[in-house]
Amino acid sequence: MRDPFRIDSEKMSLHPRRVAQWLDAQDDWEKAREVFPIYVEVSPVGYCNHACTFCGVDYMLDRPEKPMLRPAVMTSLLTDMHRHGVLSVMFAGAGEPLLYKPLADAIVHADGLGLDTSITTNGVLLTEAFAQKAFTAEHLRWIKVSINAGDRDTYARIHRTKPEDFDKVLANLEAAAKVRDRLGSKCTLGAQMVALPEVRAADPKRALMSVQYPSNYDTAPELARRLRDAGVDYLVVKPYSQHLMSSDTRAYQGTVYPDAAAWARDLRSYATDRFNVMVRHQTMSELERPDRGYERCHATPYHWAYVEADGDVWGCSAYLGRDEGDKHYGDERFRYGNVNEASFADVWRSDRRKANWEYVRNGLDITECRQNCRMHQVNLHLEAVRSPGPHANFI
């Protein structure tokens, strides 16, 4: 099955200059401090209009305050990141990014800089008015909608929302595709479904697993058909990955995907020249791998970062945290500073990031990290670059 966007593989090999800079900085902080991320995930708001049963950052969403990046901070953040070599920003994070009213303005501002942007959203607020403005941005590369079932009832149960939202999201995608085509935008419209075990609603705050295999996958063919007819470019079926800090999602922990290759074959019939279906069977197979293939994280604190809605800059979203009275979530060693108080560049060059650089190199036990984390494929590639083996020169 085609994967033209390298969704189920790595893209680090496309950035040889940045890899060379990283290699040169291995044991030298003065060089390492100048290796800025290629990619940054920005969470414009810290709240959501859904309460998905599989949400890894559910513990970030029940704060009494509703954090939001101020528009002026967002503008300066994007400008400063671009100035220092950041190439792309995904608006997603703990909250629903389309709840951020100035998001289209932020995308247009980033476009003027030449900064690539993208959005991961549940799509309920993907209005035609938003699409009209956002699709004028040449560097808005993709919008991906999280839609985790192919029928109204299963969707409502997993997203913990009303069934009508399923119809609204599909209508929004169809309208967005028409706006995009009318404006001549090159933005890719995609959708993703997390393959999940069955969820029962005995406790609305907790997902209860009744079987050891994904059951919402049964609705994937119908979802593929409807997305194809709506003018969407692709559907990707991805595995569940347990977040370290989440408690309400533990029912899904340990899910494996022995039938992933068969799923990929089964969904091929829904693909066309304009619509692709991808099952991330390579990533799914990694869940049963006996080891990670590397002993140290090479991606952190170098090639990506996460900016939370309260302005905190984190080196890895798996350790994202917050305080709640006498309770603390997350690992402060991965928090470098706050863009409400300093520029992104100053935060990135800070003593806190230096301390994290030393910790990741010398103290972090990656066996305790999130399995199949976002940087797993990047780490596999960088491990091969750093330790290529004795036959590497026989090209």
Side-chain angles (χ1 to χ4, degrees), residues 314-336:
W314 296 81
C316 178
S317 63
Y319 296 97
L320 182 66
R322 67 180 178 88
D323 290 306
E324 182 184 298
D326 59 352
K327 272 187 176 181
H328 177 74
Y329 300 86
D331 189 332
E332 283 287 303
R333 289 173 293 192
F334 289 86
R335 186 177 69 83
Y336 304 153

PDB file of all heavy atoms in Angstrom, residues 314-336:
ATOM      1  N   TRP A 314       8.499  22.087  26.321  1.00  0.00           N
ATOM      2  CA  TRP A 314       8.906  20.758  26.759  1.00  0.00           C
ATOM      3  C   TRP A 314       9.743  20.090  25.675  1.00  0.00           C
ATOM      4  O   TRP A 314       9.500  20.271  24.483  1.00  0.00           O
ATOM      5  CB  TRP A 314       7.686  19.893  27.057  1.00  0.00           C
ATOM      6  CG  TRP A 314       6.848  20.396  28.184  1.00  0.00           C
ATOM      7  CD1 TRP A 314       5.908  21.399  28.147  1.00  0.00           C
ATOM      8  CD2 TRP A 314       6.883  19.946  29.541  1.00  0.00           C
ATOM      9  NE1 TRP A 314       5.354  21.596  29.381  1.00  0.00           N
ATOM     10  CE2 TRP A 314       5.932  20.712  30.274  1.00  0.00           C
ATOM     11  CE3 TRP A 314       7.611  18.963  30.212  1.00  0.00           C
ATOM     12  CZ2 TRP A 314       5.707  20.517  31.632  1.00  0.00           C
ATOM     13  CZ3 TRP A 314       7.380  18.772  31.570  1.00  0.00           C
ATOM     14  CH2 TRP A 314       6.444  19.544  32.269  1.00  0.00           C
ATOM     15  N   GLY A 315      10.708  19.270  26.099  1.00  0.00           N
ATOM     16  CA  GLY A 315      11.534  18.549  25.146  1.00  0.00           C
ATOM     17  C   GLY A 315      10.901  17.277  24.648  1.00  0.00           C
ATOM     18  O   GLY A 315      11.285  16.756  23.599  1.00  0.00           O
ATOM     19  N   CYS A 316       9.894  16.766  25.384  1.00  0.00           N
ATOM     20  CA  CYS A 316       9.233  15.525  24.982  1.00  0.00           C
ATOM     21  C   CYS A 316       7.831  15.528  25.566  1.00  0.00           C
ATOM     22  O   CYS A 316       7.658  15.704  26.779  1.00  0.00           O
ATOM     23  CB  CYS A 316      10.013  14.310  25.477  1.00  0.00           C
ATOM     24  SG  CYS A 316       9.227  12.724  25.083  1.00  0.00           S
ATOM     25  N   SER A 317       6.817  15.304  24.737  1.00  0.00           N
ATOM     26  CA  SER A 317       5.436  15.360  25.216  1.00  0.00           C
ATOM     27  C   SER A 317       5.074  14.157  26.077  1.00  0.00           C
ATOM     28  O   SER A 317       4.057  14.182  26.781  1.00  0.00           O
ATOM     29  CB  SER A 317       4.464  15.465  24.034  1.00  0.00           C
ATOM     30  OG  SER A 317       4.540  14.313  23.214  1.00  0.00           O
ATOM     31  N   ALA A 318       5.879  13.102  26.049  1.00  0.00           N
ATOM     32  CA  ALA A 318       5.607  11.953  26.916  1.00  0.00           C
ATOM     33  C   ALA A 318       5.774  12.302  28.385  1.00  0.00           C
ATOM     34  O   ALA A 318       5.232  11.616  29.262  1.00  0.00           O
ATOM     35  CB  ALA A 318       6.520  10.791  26.549  1.00  0.00           C
ATOM     36  N   TYR A 319       6.532  13.364  28.679  1.00  0.00           N
ATOM     37  CA  TYR A 319       6.788  13.768  30.058  1.00  0.00           C
ATOM     38  C   TYR A 319       6.071  15.065  30.419  1.00  0.00           C
ATOM     39  O   TYR A 319       6.339  15.672  31.452  1.00  0.00           O
ATOM     40  CB  TYR A 319       8.295  13.902  30.286  1.00  0.00           C
ATOM     41  CG  TYR A 319       9.006  12.587  30.135  1.00  0.00           C
ATOM     42  CD1 TYR A 319       9.638  12.247  28.930  1.00  0.00           C
ATOM     43  CD2 TYR A 319       9.020  11.657  31.166  1.00  0.00           C
ATOM     44  CE1 TYR A 319      10.263  11.028  28.782  1.00  0.00           C
ATOM     45  CE2 TYR A 319       9.656  10.434  31.020  1.00  0.00           C
ATOM     46  CZ  TYR A 319      10.273  10.121  29.832  1.00  0.00           C
ATOM     47  OH  TYR A 319      10.900   8.899  29.676  1.00  0.00           O
ATOM     48  N   LEU A 320       5.153  15.478  29.571  1.00  0.00           N
ATOM     49  CA  LEU A 320       4.379  16.692  29.766  1.00  0.00           C
ATOM     50  C   LEU A 320       3.670  16.664  31.115  1.00  0.00           C
ATOM     51  O   LEU A 320       3.135  15.630  31.525  1.00  0.00           O
ATOM     52  CB  LEU A 320       3.351  16.789  28.633  1.00  0.00           C
ATOM     53  CG  LEU A 320       2.442  17.982  28.559  1.00  0.00           C
ATOM     54  CD1 LEU A 320       3.237  19.239  28.273  1.00  0.00           C
ATOM     55  CD2 LEU A 320       1.400  17.748  27.465  1.00  0.00           C
ATOM     56  N   GLY A 321       3.649  17.796  31.831  1.00  0.00           N
ATOM     57  CA  GLY A 321       3.047  17.773  33.154  1.00  0.00           C
ATOM     58  C   GLY A 321       2.402  19.071  33.567  1.00  0.00           C
ATOM     59  O   GLY A 321       2.432  20.077  32.863  1.00  0.00           O
ATOM     60  N   ARG A 322       1.835  19.024  34.762  1.00  0.00           N
ATOM     61  CA  ARG A 322       1.191  20.175  35.366  1.00  0.00           C
ATOM     62  C   ARG A 322       1.098  19.934  36.867  1.00  0.00           C
ATOM     63  O   ARG A 322       1.271  18.812  37.355  1.00  0.00           O
ATOM     64  CB  ARG A 322      -0.210  20.388  34.797  1.00  0.00           C
ATOM     65  CG  ARG A 322      -1.192  19.268  35.169  1.00  0.00           C
ATOM     66  CD  ARG A 322      -2.562  19.525  34.570  1.00  0.00           C
ATOM     67  NE  ARG A 322      -3.513  18.474  34.859  1.00  0.00           N
ATOM     68  CZ  ARG A 322      -4.290  18.437  35.941  1.00  0.00           C
ATOM     69  NH1 ARG A 322      -4.207  19.392  36.833  1.00  0.00           N
ATOM     70  NH2 ARG A 322      -5.144  17.453  36.128  1.00  0.00           N
ATOM     71  N   ASP A 323       0.813  20.997  37.593  1.00  0.00           N
ATOM     72  CA  ASP A 323       0.615  20.910  39.037  1.00  0.00           C
ATOM     73  C   ASP A 323      -0.869  21.020  39.358  1.00  0.00           C
ATOM     74  O   ASP A 323      -1.606  21.757  38.715  1.00  0.00           O
ATOM     75  CB  ASP A 323       1.365  22.031  39.752  1.00  0.00           C
ATOM     76  CG  ASP A 323       2.871  21.830  39.695  1.00  0.00           C
ATOM     77  OD1 ASP A 323       3.331  20.750  40.099  1.00  0.00           O
ATOM     78  OD2 ASP A 323       3.570  22.742  39.228  1.00  0.00           O
ATOM     79  N   GLU A 324      -1.288  20.262  40.374  1.00  0.00           N
ATOM     80  CA  GLU A 324      -2.675  20.344  40.849  1.00  0.00           C
ATOM     81  C   GLU A 324      -2.636  20.220  42.371  1.00  0.00           C
ATOM     82  O   GLU A 324      -2.645  19.121  42.926  1.00  0.00           O
ATOM     83  CB  GLU A 324      -3.510  19.218  40.242  1.00  0.00           C
ATOM     84  CG  GLU A 324      -4.973  19.270  40.652  1.00  0.00           C
ATOM     85  CD  GLU A 324      -5.747  18.072  40.115  1.00  0.00           C
ATOM     86  OE1 GLU A 324      -5.833  17.921  38.889  1.00  0.00           O
ATOM     87  OE2 GLU A 324      -6.241  17.290  40.939  1.00  0.00           O
ATOM     88  N   GLY A 325      -2.558  21.367  43.039  1.00  0.00           N
ATOM     89  CA  GLY A 325      -2.443  21.360  44.495  1.00  0.00           C
ATOM     90  C   GLY A 325      -1.154  20.680  44.927  1.00  0.00           C
ATOM     91  O   GLY A 325      -0.064  21.086  44.526  1.00  0.00           O
ATOM     92  N   ASP A 326      -1.287  19.625  45.720  1.00  0.00           N
ATOM     93  CA  ASP A 326      -0.095  18.904  46.170  1.00  0.00           C
ATOM     94  C   ASP A 326       0.284  17.772  45.237  1.00  0.00           C
ATOM     95  O   ASP A 326       1.205  17.013  45.508  1.00  0.00           O
ATOM     96  CB  ASP A 326      -0.312  18.353  47.585  1.00  0.00           C
ATOM     97  CG  ASP A 326      -1.515  17.411  47.670  1.00  0.00           C
ATOM     98  OD1 ASP A 326      -2.257  17.302  46.670  1.00  0.00           O
ATOM     99  OD2 ASP A 326      -1.713  16.802  48.735  1.00  0.00           O
ATOM    100  N   LYS A 327      -0.429  17.636  44.118  1.00  0.00           N
ATOM    101  CA  LYS A 327      -0.122  16.613  43.127  1.00  0.00           C
ATOM    102  C   LYS A 327       0.665  17.223  41.981  1.00  0.00           C
ATOM    103  O   LYS A 327       0.397  18.341  41.555  1.00  0.00           O
ATOM    104  CB  LYS A 327      -1.413  15.999  42.557  1.00  0.00           C
ATOM    105  CG  LYS A 327      -1.943  14.824  43.325  1.00  0.00           C
ATOM    106  CD  LYS A 327      -3.109  14.212  42.547  1.00  0.00           C
ATOM    107  CE  LYS A 327      -3.598  12.954  43.247  1.00  0.00           C
ATOM    108  NZ  LYS A 327      -4.719  12.335  42.483  1.00  0.00           N
ATOM    109  N   HIS A 328       1.614  16.452  41.461  1.00  0.00           N
ATOM    110  CA  HIS A 328       2.353  16.916  40.287  1.00  0.00           C
ATOM    111  C   HIS A 328       2.369  15.814  39.234  1.00  0.00           C
ATOM    112  O   HIS A 328       2.646  14.655  39.538  1.00  0.00           O
ATOM    113  CB  HIS A 328       3.793  17.288  40.640  1.00  0.00           C
ATOM    114  CG  HIS A 328       4.594  17.691  39.443  1.00  0.00           C
ATOM    115  ND1 HIS A 328       4.412  18.911  38.814  1.00  0.00           N
ATOM    116  CD2 HIS A 328       5.536  17.034  38.728  1.00  0.00           C
ATOM    117  CE1 HIS A 328       5.218  18.982  37.767  1.00  0.00           C
ATOM    118  NE2 HIS A 328       5.910  17.863  37.701  1.00  0.00           N
ATOM    119  N   TYR A 329       2.058  16.181  38.014  1.00  0.00           N
ATOM    120  CA  TYR A 329       2.117  15.273  36.881  1.00  0.00           C
ATOM    121  C   TYR A 329       3.293  15.683  35.992  1.00  0.00           C
ATOM    122  O   TYR A 329       3.583  16.860  35.845  1.00  0.00           O
ATOM    123  CB  TYR A 329       0.826  15.337  36.057  1.00  0.00           C
ATOM    124  CG  TYR A 329      -0.425  14.973  36.811  1.00  0.00           C
ATOM    125  CD1 TYR A 329      -1.116  15.929  37.546  1.00  0.00           C
ATOM    126  CD2 TYR A 329      -0.927  13.679  36.783  1.00  0.00           C
ATOM    127  CE1 TYR A 329      -2.274  15.606  38.232  1.00  0.00           C
ATOM    128  CE2 TYR A 329      -2.084  13.348  37.464  1.00  0.00           C
ATOM    129  CZ  TYR A 329      -2.758  14.314  38.189  1.00  0.00           C
ATOM    130  OH  TYR A 329      -3.900  13.987  38.866  1.00  0.00           O
ATOM    131  N   GLY A 330       3.935  14.711  35.389  1.00  0.00           N
ATOM    132  CA  GLY A 330       4.998  15.013  34.447  1.00  0.00           C
ATOM    133  C   GLY A 330       6.370  14.991  35.083  1.00  0.00           C
ATOM    134  O   GLY A 330       6.538  14.720  36.272  1.00  0.00           O
ATOM    135  N   ASP A 331       7.358  15.267  34.268  1.00  0.00           N
ATOM    136  CA  ASP A 331       8.760  15.252  34.692  1.00  0.00           C
ATOM    137  C   ASP A 331       9.364  16.609  34.371  1.00  0.00           C
ATOM    138  O   ASP A 331       9.612  16.934  33.204  1.00  0.00           O
ATOM    139  CB  ASP A 331       9.511  14.134  33.964  1.00  0.00           C
ATOM    140  CG  ASP A 331      10.906  13.902  34.508  1.00  0.00           C
ATOM    141  OD1 ASP A 331      11.502  14.863  35.035  1.00  0.00           O
ATOM    142  OD2 ASP A 331      11.418  12.770  34.395  1.00  0.00           O
ATOM    143  N   GLU A 332       9.603  17.394  35.399  1.00  0.00           N
ATOM    144  CA  GLU A 332      10.096  18.757  35.235  1.00  0.00           C
ATOM    145  C   GLU A 332      11.448  18.820  34.528  1.00  0.00           C
ATOM    146  O   GLU A 332      11.827  19.870  34.010  1.00  0.00           O
ATOM    147  CB  GLU A 332      10.204  19.430  36.601  1.00  0.00           C
ATOM    148  CG  GLU A 332       8.879  19.891  37.161  1.00  0.00           C
ATOM    149  CD  GLU A 332       8.349  21.123  36.446  1.00  0.00           C
ATOM    150  OE1 GLU A 332       9.049  22.149  36.406  1.00  0.00           O
ATOM    151  OE2 GLU A 332       7.237  21.042  35.900  1.00  0.00           O
ATOM    152  N   ARG A 333      12.167  17.712  34.506  1.00  0.00           N
ATOM    153  CA  ARG A 333      13.472  17.716  33.844  1.00  0.00           C
ATOM    154  C   ARG A 333      13.345  17.949  32.337  1.00  0.00           C
ATOM    155  O   ARG A 333      14.329  18.287  31.677  1.00  0.00           O
ATOM    156  CB  ARG A 333      14.208  16.403  34.116  1.00  0.00           C
ATOM    157  CG  ARG A 333      14.699  16.270  35.547  1.00  0.00           C
ATOM    158  CD  ARG A 333      15.263  14.899  35.837  1.00  0.00           C
ATOM    159  NE  ARG A 333      14.245  13.853  35.797  1.00  0.00           N
ATOM    160  CZ  ARG A 333      14.423  12.611  36.232  1.00  0.00           C
ATOM    161  NH1 ARG A 333      15.596  12.260  36.742  1.00  0.00           N
ATOM    162  NH2 ARG A 333      13.452  11.728  36.176  1.00  0.00           N
ATOM    163  N   PHE A 334      12.145  17.775  31.797  1.00  0.00           N
ATOM    164  CA  PHE A 334      11.919  17.971  30.364  1.00  0.00           C
ATOM    165  C   PHE A 334      11.260  19.313  30.061  1.00  0.00           C
ATOM    166  O   PHE A 334      10.911  19.572  28.913  1.00  0.00           O
ATOM    167  CB  PHE A 334      11.075  16.825  29.800  1.00  0.00           C
ATOM    168  CG  PHE A 334      11.816  15.520  29.725  1.00  0.00           C
ATOM    169  CD1 PHE A 334      11.864  14.673  30.820  1.00  0.00           C
ATOM    170  CD2 PHE A 334      12.488  15.156  28.573  1.00  0.00           C
ATOM    171  CE1 PHE A 334      12.555  13.475  30.758  1.00  0.00           C
ATOM    172  CE2 PHE A 334      13.179  13.968  28.500  1.00  0.00           C
ATOM    173  CZ  PHE A 334      13.215  13.123  29.602  1.00  0.00           C
ATOM    174  N   ARG A 335      11.082  20.154  31.085  1.00  0.00           N
ATOM    175  CA  ARG A 335      10.508  21.491  30.875  1.00  0.00           C
ATOM    176  C   ARG A 335      11.646  22.501  30.876  1.00  0.00           C
ATOM    177  O   ARG A 335      12.397  22.611  31.836  1.00  0.00           O
ATOM    178  CB  ARG A 335       9.498  21.844  31.969  1.00  0.00           C
ATOM    179  CG  ARG A 335       8.774  23.150  31.700  1.00  0.00           C
ATOM    180  CD  ARG A 335       7.732  23.430  32.779  1.00  0.00           C
ATOM    181  NE  ARG A 335       8.358  23.739  34.060  1.00  0.00           N
ATOM    182  CZ  ARG A 335       8.812  24.929  34.400  1.00  0.00           C
ATOM    183  NH1 ARG A 335       8.726  25.958  33.548  1.00  0.00           N
ATOM    184  NH2 ARG A 335       9.357  25.120  35.583  1.00  0.00           N
ATOM    185  N   TYR A 336      11.765  23.258  29.765  1.00  0.00           N
ATOM    186  CA  TYR A 336      12.926  24.128  29.574  1.00  0.00           C
ATOM    187  C   TYR A 336      12.682  25.590  29.936  1.00  0.00           C
ATOM    188  O   TYR A 336      13.631  26.341  30.132  1.00  0.00           O
ATOM    189  CB  TYR A 336      13.398  24.061  28.113  1.00  0.00           C
ATOM    190  CG  TYR A 336      13.716  22.669  27.634  1.00  0.00           C
ATOM    191  CD1 TYR A 336      13.606  22.346  26.278  1.00  0.00           C
ATOM    192  CD2 TYR A 336      14.116  21.671  28.505  1.00  0.00           C
ATOM    193  CE1 TYR A 336      13.905  21.074  25.824  1.00  0.00           C
ATOM    194  CE2 TYR A 336      14.410  20.397  28.057  1.00  0.00           C
ATOM    195  CZ  TYR A 336      14.292  20.097  26.712  1.00  0.00           C
ATOM    196  OH  TYR A 336      14.587  18.842  26.261  1.00  0.00           O
TER     197      TYR A 336
END
